[in-house]
């Protein structure tokens, strides 16, 4: 996409607070980024000395040769040997939000001067992590930004921020939601230097849109409906599925995602916004990879978990007014122990509030209610119609919470609460239920606007729109799952088609095996990349780098394979020979086949027993996997 297209689509005039079009030129160790508008220099250029890290805003001759088109600066990482500047080199439009194109980052470049003689092997490793953590093709995918419209804010928060003169006059990065400002740590040196116009606040997550879908009104002409779905991932306790679980002592929860569904009718004559959140079970617990397929769950004692849980619950109530937690995890077995601990924590929190415990914040306590629903027990592998049981239990909350709504007649409603949905990973079962709630909200809006009969459902009344809606929610689930687990969401076939069949089960099996491989053999490096990008780890000059040699299952697995091949070869040779009598054959079979297989089995058992020493572990902030120890 061309830079000129960005500026023109974003605004007819140059009135944006962020530069939509820039040119990058490398002059030795100096990187120059010059804002342009309709071919003319827009303002002072950003200059960065890639050897010293010096930043400056300065007038610069027009950059018109050997330049790279740049769509934004994500930030600057200060490594011990020198700085590394991260710029956006390619984007594609994913949606339109508040009149501004919402872009997905599809290309980045990291600029560093590695030839100055200061770079050691550890600096190169940090640089490699930075590149993979910001590369859309690696671990830096699903980054979105716009040049206006405060895209890190939900519609209800956006209205509140811009209605308050104290916040409306702030710069975009100051208005951005801190939890969803993904490049905040990288951007900090530039923001402190007054270069915020070059740095669009980006969020990681998802953005999709069904644009201008024509619907016939009950009494009037056709009206165009646009449905936008946005997911914003929190950078607090961000990371990979098995290396970031539950809460940390500061009450930040893993895989916290705010999903917002926006509906606009007739070009905005009526607008609605419905927000849901997901997040790991809010207790101190972990599940570190160890080569086992079913990883043991470690839960901290209630005395350690309860304060963090209560802080998390209070923060949710403060941010969303009232909360219904929907726990889809199993109520028996390994997951059942975690579900029981969650239920106990929620019950103790409410009881403490009823007793007037000041630590439980009585004003906030009535705002958190937990609804357990054993998804696997209730729905099995294919009977998703039983989700109606869950709906019956929360429909009153759904009506009470409502959603943000505005229309040309002056109607103004606020969303008064939020559903916080989780399973174990907060990916697969969670997305099914969130999609269900999203459909219920869409049906309500369309019925309210007279675009759908009140007695019908979306699949009955508007099957084409229902299909597009299902696909968008399935894409949402797949993208959020890719960020946390490395694969698309399981059960996404049901979300996409409304059917649960053998092909969906096979797809789930393939994804499960892929996750097993990634959890054990690749996610340590991914976690390090994310920790470096989000600021969970900061390079400190003079501090020894944490990199150490790690074990690998490659050698023992090759030994197991070699023993198995040897046993198979010996068995084939003995079968072909066929002589020597039964006793001799039995002894040879024992020595040449049974013994190698026994050694292979023993080696596999030893690998599983010592599996935690062989997996790919994060090295920058390993303590965050089990932060309460």
């Amino acid at each position: 996409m061309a830079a000129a297209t960005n500026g023109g689509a974003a605004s007819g005039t140059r009135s944006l607070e962020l530069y939509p079009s820039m040119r990058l030129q490398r002059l030795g160790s100096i990187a120059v980024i010059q804002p342009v508008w309709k071919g003319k220099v827009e303002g002072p250029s950003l200059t960065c000395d890639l050897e010293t890290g010096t930043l400056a805003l300065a007038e610069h001759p027009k950059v018109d040769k050997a330049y790279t088109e740049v769509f934004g600066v994500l930030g600057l990482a200060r490594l011990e040997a020198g700085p590394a500047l991260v710029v956006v080199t390619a984007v594609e439009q994913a949606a339109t939000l508040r009149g501004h194109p919402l872009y997905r980052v599809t290309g980045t470049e990291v600029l560093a001067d590695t030839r100055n003689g200061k770079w050691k092997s550890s600096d190169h490793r940090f640089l490699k992590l930075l590149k993979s953590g910001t590369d859309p093709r690696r671990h830096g995918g699903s980054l979105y930004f716009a040049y206006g419209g405060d895209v890190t804010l939900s519609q209800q928060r956006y209205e509140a921020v811009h209605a308050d003169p104290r916040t409306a006059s702030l710069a975009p990065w100051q208005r951005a939601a801190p939890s969803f400002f993904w490049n905040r740590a990288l951007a900090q040196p530039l923001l402190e230097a007054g270069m915020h116009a070059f740095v669009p606040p980006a969020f990681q997550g998802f953005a999709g849109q069904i644009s201008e879908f024509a619907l016939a009104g009950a009494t009037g002409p056709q009206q165009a409906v646009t449905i936008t779905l946005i997911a914003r991932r929190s950078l607090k306790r961000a990371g990979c599925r098995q290396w970031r679980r539950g809460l940390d002592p500061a009450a930040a929860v893993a895989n916290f995602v705010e999903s917002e569904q926006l509906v606009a009718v007739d070009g905005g004559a009526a607008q609605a916004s419905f927000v849901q959140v997901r997040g790991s079970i809010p207790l101190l617990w972990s599940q570190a990879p160890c080569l086992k397929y079913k990883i043991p769950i470690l839960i901290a004692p209630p005395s350690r978990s309860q304060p963090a849980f209560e802080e998390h619950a209070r923060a949710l109530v403060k941010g969303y007014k009232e909360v219904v937690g929907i726990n889809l995890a199993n109520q028996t077995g390994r997951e059942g122990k975690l579900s029981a601990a969650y239920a106990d924590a929620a019950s103790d929190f409410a009881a403490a509030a009823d007793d007037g415990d000041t630590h439980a914040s009585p004003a906030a306590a009535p705002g958190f209610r937990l609804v357990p629903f054993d998804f696997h027990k209730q729905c099995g592998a294919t009977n998703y119609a039983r989700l109606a049981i869950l709906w019956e239990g929360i429909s009153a909350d759904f009506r009470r919470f409502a959603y943000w709504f505005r229309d040309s007649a002056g109607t103004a409603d606020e969303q008064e609460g939020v559903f916080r949905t989780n399973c174990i990973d907060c990916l697969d079962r969670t997305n099914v239920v969130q999609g269900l709630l999203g459909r219920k909200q869409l049906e309500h809006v369309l019925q309210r606007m007279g675009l759908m009969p009140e007695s019908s459902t979306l699949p009955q009344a508007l099957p084409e729109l229902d299909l597009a809606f299902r696909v968008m929610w399935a894409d949402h689930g797949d993208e959020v799952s890719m960020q946390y687990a490395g694969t698309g969401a399981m059960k996404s076939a049901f979300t996409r088609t409304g059917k649960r069949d053998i092909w969906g089960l096979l797809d789930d099996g393939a994804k499960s095996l892929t996750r097993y491989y990634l959890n054990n053999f690749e996610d340590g490096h991914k976690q390090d990349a994310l920790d470096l990008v989000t600021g969970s780890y900061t390079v400190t000059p003079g501090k020894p780098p944490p990199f150490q040699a790690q074990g690998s299952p490659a050698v023992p697995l090759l030994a197991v394979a070699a023993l198995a091949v040897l046993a198979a070869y010996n068995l084939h040779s003995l079968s072909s020979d066929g002589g020597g009598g039964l006793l001799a054959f039995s002894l040879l079979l024992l020595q040449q086949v049974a013994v190698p297989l026994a050694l292979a089995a023993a080696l596999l058992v030893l690998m599983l027993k010592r599996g935690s020493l062989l997996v790919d572990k994060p090295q920058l902030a390993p303590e965050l996997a089990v932060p309460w120890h």
Side-chain angles (χ1 to χ4, degrees):
M1 175 176 287
T5 303
N6 278 348
S11 176
T13 61
R14 175 64 182 99
S15 59
L16 299 174
E17 299 169 290
L18 300 166
Y19 292 131
S21 181
M22 289 163 273
R23 293 175 177 177
L24 164 68
Q25 187 175 47
R26 183 79 177 264
L27 303 172
S29 65
I30 305 296
V32 178
I33 299 179
Q34 187 171 76
V36 294
W37 180 254
K38 296 182 178 180
K40 297 181 180 179
V41 177
E42 170 64 22
S45 297
L46 182 163
T47 64
C48 176
D49 189 324
L50 297 175
E51 184 173 358
T52 65
T54 301
L55 293 166
L57 287 174
E59 299 297 329
H60 193 276
K62 183 179 178 182
V63 173
D64 57 5
K65 292 182 180 180
Y67 66 83
T68 300
E69 217 168 18
V70 170
F71 301 91
V73 182
L74 290 181
L76 180 77
R78 295 193 182 278
L79 308 180
E80 187 162 13
L85 188 68
V86 186
V87 298
V88 178
T89 57
V91 296
E92 63 182 14
Q93 185 171 342
T96 299
L97 182 65
R98 301 175 191 130
H100 298 278
L102 179 58
Y103 296 109
R104 175 174 177 155
V105 175
T106 58
T108 58
E109 184 177 353
V110 178
L111 305 173
D113 185 6
T114 60
R115 300 169 298 177
N116 60 22
K118 300 178 182 178
W119 287 73
K120 298 174 290 189
S121 61
S122 58
D123 294 302
H124 285 284
R125 290 187 68 172
F126 281 125
L127 184 62
K128 185 177 180 180
L129 287 172
L130 179 64
K131 288 181 177 179
S132 66
T134 55
D135 186 346
R137 299 163 299 179
R138 295 280 290 146
H139 310 317
S142 305
L143 289 181
Y144 297 85
F145 72 92
Y147 298 112
D150 295 320
V151 295
T152 66
L153 302 177
S154 68
Q155 186 65 32
Q156 187 159 309
R157 288 204 176 102
Y158 173 85
E159 295 287 338
V161 164
H162 283 267
D164 187 340
R166 295 170 298 177
T167 52
S169 60
L170 296 176
W173 71 271
Q174 295 170 314
R175 297 195 300 262
S179 294
F180 305 130
F181 187 171
W182 191 259
N183 56 320
R184 186 183 181 93
L186 284 179
Q188 202 61 40
L190 298 165
L191 300 177
E192 292 173 353
M195 299 175 174
H196 59 269
F198 294 86
V199 186
F203 67 88
Q204 187 183 62
F206 170 80
Q209 193 166 65
I210 302 170
S211 299
E212 301 292 316
F213 196 96
L215 295 179
T219 58
Q222 282 193 337
Q223 298 187 60
V225 175
T226 295
I227 306 166
T228 308
L229 183 58
I230 295 174
R232 304 174 178 97
R233 172 180 297 280
S234 175
L235 58 86
K236 297 179 180 178
R237 198 154 175 72
C240 304
R241 172 174 171 249
Q242 300 292 7
W243 293 116
R244 292 293 181 270
R245 293 293 213 187
L247 284 170
D248 62 19
V253 67
N255 199 26
F256 186 86
V257 181
E258 179 187 85
S259 295
E260 180 183 19
Q261 180 174 290
L262 298 119
V263 182
V265 179
D266 194 20
Q271 299 180 65
S273 164
F274 179 58
V275 170
Q276 304 180 63
V277 297
R278 68 177 71 189
S280 191
I281 290 178
L283 301 172
L284 300 175
W285 66 283
S286 65
Q287 202 175 16
C290 59
L291 294 184
K292 293 180 180 178
Y293 189 76
K294 292 188 175 182
I295 306 172
I297 295 174
L298 178 63
I299 309 174
S303 60
R304 302 293 302 277
S305 270
Q306 193 66 24
F309 169 82
E310 292 180 358
E311 182 62 28
H312 177 69
R314 287 193 291 268
L316 285 176
V317 171
K318 181 180 179 181
Y320 299 99
K321 300 183 181 180
E322 189 176 347
V323 184
V324 168
I326 303 174
N327 178 25
L328 304 174
N330 298 347
Q331 299 298 306
T332 58
R334 295 182 315 136
E335 292 186 12
K337 294 179 181 179
L338 201 52
S339 292
Y342 186 9
D344 288 345
S347 177
D348 290 347
F349 177 60
D354 291 340
D355 292 340
D357 188 328
T358 56
H359 293 290
S361 182
F368 191 96
R369 182 172 78 90
L370 182 61
V371 177
F373 182 81
D374 191 325
F375 189 102
H376 287 151
K377 180 179 179 180
Q378 294 288 346
C379 300
T382 58
N383 192 13
Y384 286 10
R386 291 180 62 83
L387 288 170
I389 298 172
L390 172 63
W391 173 244
E392 289 175 5
I394 61 174
S395 57
D397 301 298
F398 181 85
R399 290 190 296 271
R400 188 174 72 259
F401 291 172
Y403 48 85
W404 182 91
F405 183 82
R406 300 287 187 274
D407 66 12
S408 55
T411 306
D413 296 332
E414 301 289 317
Q415 185 169 337
E416 300 295 337
V418 73
F419 291 99
R420 182 203 190 280
T421 308
N422 73 268
C423 43
I424 284 294
D425 298 328
C426 309
L427 300 175
D428 313 317
R429 291 168 276 184
T430 293
N431 204 65
V432 171
V433 169
Q434 285 197 333
L436 167 69
L437 296 179
R439 178 178 287 101
K440 294 291 186 181
Q441 187 262 353
L442 176 60
E443 289 172 348
H444 193 278
V445 173
L446 296 181
Q447 291 166 353
R448 182 176 189 170
M449 300 303 299
L451 298 174
M452 195 178 93
E454 291 191 11
S455 58
S456 66
T457 64
L458 192 65
Q460 293 168 344
L462 302 166
E464 291 185 8
L465 178 59
D466 180 64
L467 176 59
F469 182 80
R470 285 183 180 277
V471 169
M472 183 170 66
W473 264 97
D475 291 343
H476 162 276
D478 282 344
E479 198 158 342
V480 169
S481 178
M482 186 66 69
Q483 295 152 25
Y484 190 50
T487 74
M490 295 195 287
K491 300 175 177 62
S492 64
F494 171 79
T495 307
R496 198 174 296 277
T497 66
K499 300 177 182 179
R500 186 68 169 154
D501 54 23
I502 186 62
W503 300 112
L505 295 173
L506 291 174
D507 180 59
D508 287 354
K511 289 173 179 174
S512 182
L513 290 174
T514 302
R515 288 181 182 181
Y516 171 82
Y517 170 79
L518 294 173
N519 294 163
N520 287 285
F521 307 129
E522 290 195 15
D523 278 354
H525 285 78
K526 178 179 178 180
Q527 185 64 61
D528 283 340
L530 295 175
D531 285 341
L532 186 62
V533 169
T534 60
S536 293
Y537 179 88
T538 303
V539 177
T540 303
K543 180 181 178 180
F547 301 117
Q548 296 179 356
Q550 294 201 71
S552 169
V555 173
L557 282 175
L558 285 174
V560 169
L563 288 168
V565 169
L566 176 62
Y569 175 79
N570 289 341
L571 179 61
H572 176 72
S573 299
L574 291 173
S575 300
S576 300
D577 186 24
L582 180 60
L583 180 59
F585 179 79
S586 299
L587 288 173
L588 290 172
L589 190 66
L590 177 64
Q591 295 171 353
Q592 298 183 20
V593 179
V595 170
L597 288 178
L599 289 173
L603 193 54
L604 280 175
V605 170
L606 182 62
M607 283 179 61
L608 291 175
K609 190 173 182 179
R610 300 290 184 181
S612 60
L613 302 176
L614 300 175
V615 298
D616 180 37
K617 297 185 289 293
Q619 299 195 52
L620 298 190
E623 71 283 356
L624 295 182
V626 191
W628 67 92
H629 278 191

